[in-house]
Amino acid sequence: MSGLQQICVLGATGSIGLSTLDVIARHPQHYQVFALTGFRRLAELQALCLRYRPRYAVVPDAGAARELQGVLRSAGLPTDVLVGEAGLCEVAAHPEVDAVMAAIVGAAGLKPTLAAVAAGKKILLANKEALVMSGALFMQAVRRSGAVLLPIDSEHNAIFQCLPSDYARGLGAVGVRRILLTASGGPFRETPLAELEQVTPEQACAHPNWSMGRKISVDSASMMNKGLELIEACWLFDATPAQIEVVIHPQSVIHSLVDYVDGSVLAQLGNPDMRTPISHALAWPARIDSGVAPLDLFRIARLDFSAPDEVRFPCLRLARQAAEAGGTAPALLNAANEVAVAAFLERRIRFPEIAVIIDAVLTTESAQAVDDLDTVLAADACARAAAGVWLSRHGR
Ligand code: NDP
Ligand code: MG
């Protein structure tokens, strides 16, 4: 590794953002924080700015910008505070930035991530929703700009590590039979079905193996996270939905596997700590210390596997259907899910109604071919409106 790389961390105040900063802080000779962005946790963003002294910070509105700018100026920092989506896109595409950690949650990350792609950056992609929404356009833009796209999602990072470097020739051409995408099954893997009606946001967010933001935690509990990851894997590795099999593996030690035609199955293992994929992608193709403890196989002792239950987890089936339908179907699915998860977190609906809302939206809104970003954004808006109508009729 040579030189000091300038890193833009979109979503710095979140779970992935903080893990990224933890890794960066271990290697000050290699990485420097160029930009940090936050949304609601602005006191945390201020503390991060004081610690990492970025060139830029981005906040959602002018009032928050004035306040943060004042504090940073009086502390003698050179940081300029920018505002809103335009500010996010500006720092993501800034000529001095080498790598962008795309770690904003949900559709809000789409435009800034695409700005980094268009500018040909090295993109460390955590924000799976951006790729799910705009798949074909996103991948075309990567090819056009020559951006380097590295997956942060632990499963996709594992698959990337298990594939040969020339996998872009096609999975068939490099001898891959299928991709085995592992899933923990989340906190409700064994909860009696009737009890799912009563589960709370706190229970849904208490993931057995991973500590994550609230939206992805609920997605893990409903297995929509695995559904989004199936779509994400199709785009990243040019796979069909049929080439991807979901495997329940409750210990989250194997992060995914690649099955080759000669019967070899390659897996990537590690403790469930996002600093491993983050370090892998930051340093790729080199390796750096991530701070993650070595894997203790004797303590783990056993690894279990089972097939997913689509009655218990209808979101997985809905996502697979959207992946097969293509066009704007994944954008509709994603937007309906974002609205439904927010409503569940606000206690306006019960947990099983997340899948009911998504199913209703996918039934009433028909998928279109994707011509441009406007088509994707229109589908996103339609699905949000349709989910809103469902909530006003049935939600509390
Ligand atoms: P968090 O909720 O912890 O963090 C989300 C980040 O996005 C925060 O910095 C938040 O700012 C910011 N943000 C939220 N809404 C907006 C908005 N409208 N505009 C701008 N910024 C916004 O989520 P995670 O870190 O857990 O997840 C981030 C992404 O990474 C998600 O797409 C998730 O699916 C993916 N991912 C996460 C994993 C994990 O282990 N956490 C694993 C694999 C993927 P603020 O906090 O200041 O409000
Ligand atoms: Mg994952």
Side-chain angles (χ1 to χ4, degrees), residues 128 153-155 225-226 229:
K128 65 192 89 185
D153 222 333
S154 57
E155 297 78 3
N225 183 48
K226 213 47 54 180
E229 290 185 358

Side-chain angles (χ1 to χ4, degrees), residues 161-177:
Q161 294 198 48
C162 296
L163 284 171
S165 58
D166 61 343
Y167 72 86
R169 292 200 291 125
L171 292 183
V174 298
V176 171
R177 186 155 46 196

Side-chain angles (χ1 to χ4, degrees), residues 247-280:
V247 178
I248 303 280
H249 164 47
Q251 292 90 356
S252 299
V253 166
I254 296 182
H255 298 304
S256 278
L257 315 90
V258 177
D259 176 9
Y260 287 88
V261 286
D262 62 2
S264 300
V265 179
L266 301 193
Q268 186 257 5
L269 286 73
N271 287 320
D273 187 321
M274 289 306 292
R275 290 176 302 171
T276 293
I278 290 167
S279 300
H280 171 266

